[in-house]
Amino acid sequence: ATTLRGYADGRGVKIGAAVGDTPLTSDSSYTTVLDREFNSVTAENAMKWDAVEPTRGSFNWAAADRLVAHAQAHHQGVRGHTLAWYSQLPSWLRNGNFSVSELSSILKSHIDTEVGRYKGKVYAWDVINEAFNEDGSMRSSLWQTKLGTGYIANALRWAHAADPAAKLYINDYNIEADNAKSDSLYSLAKQLLADGVPLNGIGFQSHFVVGGVPSSMKANLKRFSDLGLEVSVTELDIRIPLPASAAELAQQSADYKTASENCLGVARCAGVTVWGITDKYSWVPGTFSGYGAALPYNESYAPKPAYTGLSNGLNPN
Ligand code: G3I
C-alpha cells in the first residue's frame, strides 16, 4: 500500500507531523512510523522561545538540532514553530520590564538568532502565532501591547532577512471557517501584502472536534490562496469524547479526509501537518479533559480509520 508520504510526494505537497522531543529519542515505533509516513516535521515544542532561551543569552538548541538532523537524514522538510507568540515565553522575557525599543530589539535578536541558525534547513516558519482573539480583535500579547500591530510586519521582515528562502507564515486556530477571526486575519494579510511585507502563507491549525470540520473551510482557504498566498493545514487533530465509539471513529476518518481535501483542493496548498502521530503522546487529553483519540494512530501504533481517511484525502486518484 502507498504510504502517506508516497501520496504526498506524488502530488508535490507535504504531509507532516508535530514531533515531540521525548518519543523522537526514546520510541523506535514512533520514528518507524514518522519516517515511513511523513515527509515533513514540526517541532512540537523544541523551537519555542522558552525551550531555546530559558535564560537570557544562554541557548539550548539540543532538541531542535536533533529534530533538524533527523529530518535531514530522512529527507523530511522542517516547519519552524514558532517565533512571535504570546505563550511559552521564558520567564526573563515574560516578567521583564523592557522599554519599547528594548523589547523590539529582543524580538529582532530572537528571530535573527533562531532563523539564522536554521537558515536553509527550515522551509517554512510560523513567524506569527495566534495573534487574534475570537472576535477578530488583536490578542493582547506582550508584543501587541508593547509594540502595537506593527510587530507583525517587523517580525516578518526580520525573518525574511535572516533566511530569504524560507516561506513565512502567520498561523492561528479557529480561522478555518469564514468568521470574525478569519475576516480580521484576511484584512491584515491583504494589508501586509499591499505594503510589500514578506508574508508567504497562512497556517490553519485545524484543531477540530469530531464532526466539526467547518463547511466554509475550503472557500475560506481559497480566499487566502486567491491573495497569492500559500495555505497549509498546520496542526490537524480531531478529538473525540472518550470512549470513542466505532461511529465516532468512522466520522473522524471522514473528517480527516475532508479537512485534508479542503486544503489540497485549493491552489497553493503547501501541505497538511497533523499535530502528532499517535494518541499515545497527544496534547489533547491533558488539555480537553474527557477528550482524546485525536490522531491517525492509536496508542499501540495501529492505524485507525482516521489514517485511511487522511490517506484517501492525500491520494489524488
Ligand atoms: O518540558 C517541560 C518539562 O521539563 C516539565 O517537567 C513539564 C511539567 O511542567 O513541562 C514540560 O513542558 C511542557 C511542554 O509541553 C513539553 O512537554 C509544558 O508544560 C506544556 O505546556 C507544553 O504543552 C505544549 C503546548 O503547545 C504549550 O506550548 C504542547 O505539548 C503542544 O502540543 C502545544 O502545541 C500548541 C502549538 O504550539 C500552537 N497551537 C496550539 C497547540 C496546542 O496547544
Side-chain angles (χ1 to χ4, degrees):
T2 304
T3 62
L4 299 178
R5 77 181 286 181
Y7 286 129
D9 288 339
R11 58 193 302 179
V13 297
K14 296 294 188 193
I15 179 61
V19 176
D21 309 345
T22 306
L24 180 65
T25 53
S26 68
D27 188 337
S28 60
S29 304
Y30 184 88
T31 47
T32 298
V33 173
L34 173 66
D35 299 335
R36 184 184 70 230
E37 301 289 339
F38 297 93
N39 62 12
S40 176
V41 298
T42 303
E44 186 174 12
N45 293 294
M47 291 188 179
K48 290 171 179 174
W49 206 327
D50 64 342
V52 300
E53 193 182 5
T55 309
R56 187 174 186 181
S58 72
F59 298 95
N60 174 12
W61 300 112
D65 285 354
R66 233 183 343 263
L67 178 60
V68 170
H70 182 96
Q72 294 197 308
H74 296 274
H75 313 293
Q76 295 153 324
V78 180
R79 292 196 87 260
H81 177 83
T82 179
L83 297 170
W85 190 22
Y86 76 93
S87 180
Q88 301 307 118
L89 298 175
S91 54
W92 65 266
L93 175 57
R94 202 170 56 246
N95 304 327
N97 192 5
F98 301 106
S99 69
V100 169
S101 60
E102 206 175 9
L103 193 67
S104 186
S105 62
I106 285 169
L107 180 55
K108 180 180 187 303
S109 170
H110 177 59
I111 291 172
D112 292 349
T113 304
E114 186 159 17
V115 177
R117 183 180 185 84
Y118 298 114
K119 180 175 181 179
K121 299 177 178 174
V122 167
Y123 71 88
W125 272 102
D126 291 333
V127 177
I128 309 294
N129 195 39
E130 303 177 4
F132 289 89
N133 292 317
E134 297 312 292
D135 65 359
S137 60
M138 302 309 292
R139 182 193 295 270
S140 310
S141 66
L142 172 67
W143 315 113
Q144 182 70 34
T145 311
K146 293 282 280 201
L147 306 179
T149 307
Y151 85 93
I152 292 174
N154 286 338
L156 289 163
R157 289 188 179 108
W158 295 331
H160 183 67
D163 186 352
K167 299 295 184 192
L168 306 181
Y169 274 67
I170 295 176
N171 190 52
D172 214 327
Y173 63 89
N174 289 352
I175 55 164
E176 299 82 13
D178 187 339
N179 57 31
K181 194 173 186 181
S182 59
D183 286 349
S184 289
L185 174 55
Y186 182 81
S187 304
L188 174 69
K190 210 169 174 181
Q191 186 58 55
L192 291 168
L193 293 172
D195 295 345
V197 174
L199 171 66
N200 304 109
I202 304 294
F204 300 83
Q205 290 184 12
S206 302
H207 293 293
F208 295 133
V209 183
V210 64
V213 179
S215 55
S216 60
M217 182 175 176
K218 186 170 183 178
N220 181 50
L221 268 64
K222 185 177 182 302
R223 67 171 169 162
F224 286 91
S225 170
D226 288 347
L227 292 175
L229 293 169
E230 290 185 1
V231 291
S232 289
V233 168
T234 51
E235 306 184 14
L236 180 59
D237 52 27
I238 303 178
R239 59 187 181 270
I240 300 175
L242 298 176
S245 68
E248 286 166 329
L249 289 167
Q251 178 62 51
Q252 182 187 52
S253 179
D255 292 343
Y256 263 96
K257 181 172 186 290
T258 306
S260 49
E261 287 173 339
N262 284 345
C263 189
L264 296 167
V266 167
R268 282 175 292 285
C269 173
V272 174
T273 291
V274 289
W275 203 246
I277 296 170
T278 160
D279 296 337
K280 181 178 178 184
Y281 298 110
S282 171
W283 70 291
V284 165
T287 304
F288 302 101
S289 77
Y291 284 83
L295 291 169
Y297 286 84
N298 73 13
E299 291 83 351
S300 322
Y301 291 97
K304 296 153 61 182
Y307 173 91
T308 308
L310 182 55
S311 179
N312 290 340
L314 284 162
N315 179 355
N317 307 315

